[in-house]
Amino acid sequence: MTIGSTLKYLATLILALLLTSGTAFASLTSESRAALSQLKSQNSAAAKVSSRALAVLVFPNVVKAGFLVGAQEGQGTLFVRGNVAGRYRTVAGSYGLQAGVQKFGYALFFMNQKAVDWINNTRGWEIGTGPSVVLVDKGMARSFTTDTMHSGIYAFTFDQRGLMAGLGIQGSKISRID
């Protein structure tokens, strides 16, 4: 198998994964609620942030695949004070030394009205172009308290399955789909 045919095969695989990863609205809402509940029960820092957040955007199933060139896609639900306030899509592309397929979820907690207004008034946004986003990893989560919260948005990843290895440049965009 040549590199060209390998890349074509991988591109077909990535496209198939992305096209089959969409879910119906009711199913997406219930998956998002279940993922958020599980995240809060398994991560005390996420539970602390959730108790103070005005809104949370949950992407329960994001699929990422790549071989040199990669792509990821997922759909999520925005909850404002527990009520559904919209559906969103996250897409990303990457290029670099990478190979594999991975499925994961993530949640963005909006901590103040400025951050909530920003997501509601922006047609599509890239992580890193608006209010500061703090990615809370396992090490940070151990010492995380409500007194150490200072950002407009906190991000938590969860439920990682599969293997994706390598280095690359990635851009991620989030857009409202309803």
Side-chain angles (χ1 to χ4, degrees):
M1 193 180 249
T2 67
I3 290 181
S5 63
T6 302
L7 289 175
K8 286 180 187 177
Y9 173 76
L10 187 58
T12 303
L13 174 65
I14 291 169
L15 183 60
L17 284 169
L18 296 180
L19 291 175
T20 59
S21 65
T23 58
F25 181 74
S27 177
L28 178 62
T29 300
S30 63
E31 285 180 39
S32 297
R33 281 191 197 282
L36 179 59
S37 178
Q38 181 178 358
L39 173 63
K40 292 188 305 185
S41 71
Q42 294 177 349
N43 186 318
S44 62
K48 288 174 190 171
V49 170
S50 180
S51 70
R52 304 209 56 208
L54 298 182
V56 60
L57 179 54
V58 183
F59 293 98
N61 294 304
V62 178
V63 177
K64 181 177 183 178
F67 180 77
L68 299 178
V69 176
Q72 77 179 38
E73 192 270 343
Q75 292 185 8
T77 306
L78 176 66
F79 299 103
V80 176
R81 293 180 177 85
N83 298 313
V84 175
R87 291 184 313 142
Y88 287 77
R89 170 174 282 126
T90 179
V91 294
S94 57
Y95 176 77
L97 298 174
Q98 59 185 331
V101 178
Q102 183 179 47
K103 187 174 180 181
F104 63 96
Y106 72 91
L108 299 172
F109 293 87
F110 298 85
M111 304 307 295
N112 55 45
Q113 193 59 50
K114 182 178 177 182
V116 173
D117 291 343
W118 185 78
I119 191 172
N120 285 328
N121 296 327
T122 306
R123 294 190 145 268
W125 51 285
E126 294 178 26
I127 291 183
T129 61
S132 64
V133 177
V134 175
L135 178 61
V136 181
D137 61 18
K138 290 180 182 179
M140 181 183 182
R142 282 189 217 112
S143 61
F144 198 77
T145 69
T146 53
D147 293 331
T148 61
M149 291 192 285
H150 299 292
S151 180
I153 304 172
Y154 288 93
F156 290 82
T157 60
F158 56 87
D159 203 21
Q160 295 161 318
R161 287 176 263 145
L163 180 63
M164 188 74 185
L167 303 170
I169 299 169
Q170 179 174 322
S172 180
K173 184 170 183 177
I174 297 172
S175 303
R176 191 174 179 119
I177 56 176
D178 68 350

